[in-house]
């Protein structure tokens, strides 16, 4: 769910976490290693296909590893050029999502002020900044959602009166079950609400 969790220990002399008043969780968005990896792989592969298509048309070798000048432009070189163009468009999308850090943000829970704030970055536009503010007393529970199978899902949700359940975990790779349970229990204890879904 989080890249880091910071708890303000307050004025408690022994640093007891029960006396803490602020819980700040940084949520990792698109700037994950796997996204950088796939964006790089797609960029390199698509560039190779596009250069192969151009090489077959110009009859000039633009690649180091092979000689695509022997390919007939129609249909082989043309198809490789189209694959390369489509791949570069996909790579551009992946790099832009990483640049915009879509899904990144933080969860702030402040018992001192009595308010929580959930913040995420979205795609550019009028809804780029996604902010949800609520009162701590309106929180009903912390819910763990676990779905195993072909497309597993493990996520934490915040159940608030009069709203849909708010997801607190990152999108993408599911968290390990032990980590999810620990974070859910820590948050439920901090907010003083029940933990559901176990």
């Amino acid at each position: 769910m989080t890249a880091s969790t910071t708890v303000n220990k307050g004025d408690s002399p022994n640093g007891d976490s029960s006396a803490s008043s602020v819980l700040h969780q940084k949520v990792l968005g698109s700037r994950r290693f796997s996204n950088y990896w796939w964006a790089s792989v797609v960029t390199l592969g698509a560039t190779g296909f596009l250069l192969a298509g151009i090489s077959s048309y110009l009859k000039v070798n633009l690649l180091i590893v092979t000689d695509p000048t022997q390919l007939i432009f129609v249909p082989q070189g043309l198809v490789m050029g189209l694959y390369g163009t489509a791949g570069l468009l996909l790579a551009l999308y992946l790099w832009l999502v990483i640049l915009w850090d879509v899904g990144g943000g933080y969860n702030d829970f402040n018992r001192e002020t009595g308010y929580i704030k959930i913040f995420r970055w979205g795609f550019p536009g009028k809804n780029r900044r996604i902010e949800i503010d609520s009162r701590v007393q309106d929180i009903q529970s912390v819910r763990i959602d676990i779905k195993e199978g072909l497309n597993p899902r493990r996520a934490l949700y915040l159940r608030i009166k009069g709203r849909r359940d708010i997801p607190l975990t990152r999108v993408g790779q599911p968290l390990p079950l032990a980590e999810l349970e620990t974070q859910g229990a820590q948050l439920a204890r901090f907010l003083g609400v029940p933990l559901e879904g176990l």
Side-chain angles (χ1 to χ4, degrees), residues 140-156:
Q140 294 176 321
S141 65
V142 174
R143 183 171 67 86
I144 294 180
D145 184 27
I146 301 170
K147 182 184 137 198
E148 299 297 339
L150 200 57
N151 188 19
R153 179 178 65 226
R154 294 185 198 127
L156 275 181

Side-chain angles (χ1 to χ4, degrees), residues 12-79:
S12 175
N14 59 2
D16 185 12
S17 62
S18 63
S20 64
S21 59
V22 178
L23 179 65
H24 179 83
Q25 299 172 325
K26 185 170 169 39
V27 177
L28 187 63
S30 319
R31 295 182 180 167
R32 296 190 303 265
F33 174 76
S34 62
N35 287 354
Y36 282 105
W37 167 259
W38 286 115
S40 301
V41 167
V42 170
T43 302
L44 288 173
T47 303
F49 271 92
L50 186 62
L51 289 177
I54 293 171
S55 295
S56 74
Y57 178 74
L58 298 176
K59 298 297 181 196
V60 175
N61 188 6
L62 300 175
L63 291 173
I64 299 167
V65 293
T66 188
D67 184 14
T69 58
Q70 305 303 319
L71 295 175
I72 302 168
F73 180 68
V74 176
Q76 295 167 327
L78 183 62
V79 170

